Each structure stands twice: as C-alpha cells, then as structure tokens.
Amino acid sequence: MATPTRQPDRAGERRTPYGSDPSQFGELYLPSGTPRGVVVVIHGGFWRSQYDHTLGSPLAASLSEQGWAAWNLEYRRVGNGGGNPATFDDIAAGIDKIADLGLDTTSTVVTLGHSAGGHLATWAASRGRFDSWQPDRVKVSHVVSQAGVLDLRQAYVDQLGGGAVENFLGHPPTDADDPLDSIRQVPLDIPVWCIHATADTNVPISQSQAYVDAMTKAGATAELHAVPGDHFVLIDPSSSAWADTLAHLDTLG
C-alpha cells in the first residue's frame, strides 16, 4: 500500500477529483503519523447547492489532528446538477475513490454526516445492495449521523427545509424511493451512532429516535446520543457535542 503524501499547503489537505464535474472532489486531511482509520465527512444543507464542503472543513481538520485520515467529500446538489440520482452517484463514487488514495480501507471506514449529510452517510452503508452502485469498492464499517434526515417520508410530511425532500427527489417520496431512504434500509449490518441536539428546530430529534428504534427492533446496533443545543452545535469543533463525537470515534479506531 502506498504511503499517503502530506501536502504543504494546509495540514495534510489534498484535493482530489473523483469525476469531471466541479463539485466532484474530496479534500484529504492526513495526520502526522499512520492514520487510525478513515472518516468520510459529508456536509449537510438540505442537499442544496448554496451549502458546500466548507461546512465540513473544520471537522476534517479536527479529525486529522486526532489521528484520522479525513476525506471531506463534496458532491452535486440541488441547483448545480445534483438531486436524485446524481447526488447518490456522487456519494458512492466519492467513497469508492478512497481506494485510490493509498489508505487502508480494509478496517475502519466511518461515514460521518450532518443533517442531509447524515442521510447520505447512512444511505452509503446500504449502497452495495443495489445494482446502480455496485461494486462498492470501499465498505463502510461504521456510521455517525449528526442530526440526520433519516426518514425521508416523515421529513416530507413535516416539510423540513421548506420542501427540501421533494426538491431533492424531484417528487414526493413513494415506495419507489425506498432504496434512497435510510430508515427503509433498516437493518444495516454495521453500527450506527446518532448524535442529535434536543433543541434542534431544523431536523427534530424524532428523526434520530425513530431510526434508532427501528434499528434496535430489527436486531441491529444503533444508539442515540442526545446533547443540549441547536442544529449547528454538532459541527462546531469547539463544542462539547463535537468532543463527544471524537470520544465515540476513539472507541472505533
């Protein structure tokens, strides 16, 4: 296995495309020594193009400081060519690109996503079930969902993000969209850790509660960690919520 090369421009950051679109790239943040594992950071923003990878950059930098290789993933979003199925294609291809980065992808590969990114992080663990996203070259071993939109149908009913689900899918969710809906891919055969703030008004904690309940009832491994604060405290590297997330990752690698 090739040794990852640190870049001098910023603390291990290296931008690498995984496709030809300007939004198809990842930024790799490397620790100073051998990585403990890989964390794929998937930003949120209700899948809309006005929100981008810079939401995940502080988390990726923090992860590399803690010994992780962090792959801060950008993808096409609604408004710049994304939505269904392009966003799913990008998440699958972006994760599989890690196989070309000289990293160990046979042990710990965590998808960590916030809000809509939490939906994509959990979905990514099920992508190998479907012909459209096979073969999945890099297997996800753990999921961390930060206030994830984990039930698209309920999010549509609740009109989260002012109609974000319908905008993302291109229509109201139906049975045909079940392969794209995290809660309808339960159970996963890997553990999912959901962290959610109790005062979140953007994505209510009931989204994580329902997902964890469905996973545990199905005999799968899932845990809800509730913290004080709002939707964005989870992606503040100075917050106790982020400290809790790092502590959870410590148990994985």
Side-chain angles (χ1 to χ4, degrees), residues 197-213:
T198 55
D200 191 333
T201 58
N202 296 70
V203 179
I205 195 171
S206 57
Q207 283 273 323
S208 290
Q209 290 169 332
Y211 182 85
V212 170
D213 185 56

Side-chain angles (χ1 to χ4, degrees), residues 48-158:
R48 290 171 173 148
S49 60
Q50 60 260 49
Y51 305 98
D52 64 16
H53 70 285
T54 57
L55 288 170
S57 299
L59 304 187
S62 174
L63 288 162
S64 68
E65 291 167 2
Q66 298 299 314
W68 295 92
W71 179 234
N72 187 30
L73 188 60
E74 187 58 285
Y75 52 93
R76 288 174 290 175
R77 291 140 356 256
V78 176
N80 71 345
N84 176 29
T87 295
F88 296 98
D89 293 343
D90 285 2
I91 296 299
I95 292 173
D96 286 343
K97 183 64 180 179
I98 301 170
D100 301 326
L101 301 181
L103 298 167
D104 178 9
T105 60
T106 62
S107 53
T108 304
V109 177
V110 183
T111 51
L112 178 149
H114 177 246
S115 193
H119 157 250
L120 296 170
T122 53
W123 171 83
S126 68
R127 72 194 192 282
R129 297 174 178 177
F130 308 105
D131 291 342
S132 297
W133 301 290
Q134 287 185 1
D136 49 344
R137 298 170 63 205
V138 175
K139 307 290 185 181
V140 177
S141 64
H142 302 81
V143 175
V144 173
S145 170
Q146 304 169 293
V149 185
L150 302 179
D151 184 339
L152 295 184
R153 291 193 196 182
Q154 190 60 50
Y156 168 74
V157 169
D158 294 339

Side-chain angles (χ1 to χ4, degrees), residues 142-203:
H142 302 81
V143 175
V144 173
S145 170
Q146 304 169 293
V149 185
L150 302 179
D151 184 339
L152 295 184
R153 291 193 196 182
Q154 190 60 50
Y156 168 74
V157 169
D158 294 339
Q159 284 294 286
L160 299 189
V165 173
E166 184 174 357
N167 294 157
F168 176 54
L169 295 177
H171 52 256
T174 68
D175 290 349
D177 300 305
D178 284 358
L180 314 177
D181 198 343
S182 301
I183 201 167
R184 284 163 182 82
Q185 292 309 309
V186 168
L188 295 181
D189 57 3
I190 64 170
V192 178
W193 192 75
C194 297
I195 182 169
H196 215 122
T198 55
D200 191 333
T201 58
N202 296 70
V203 179

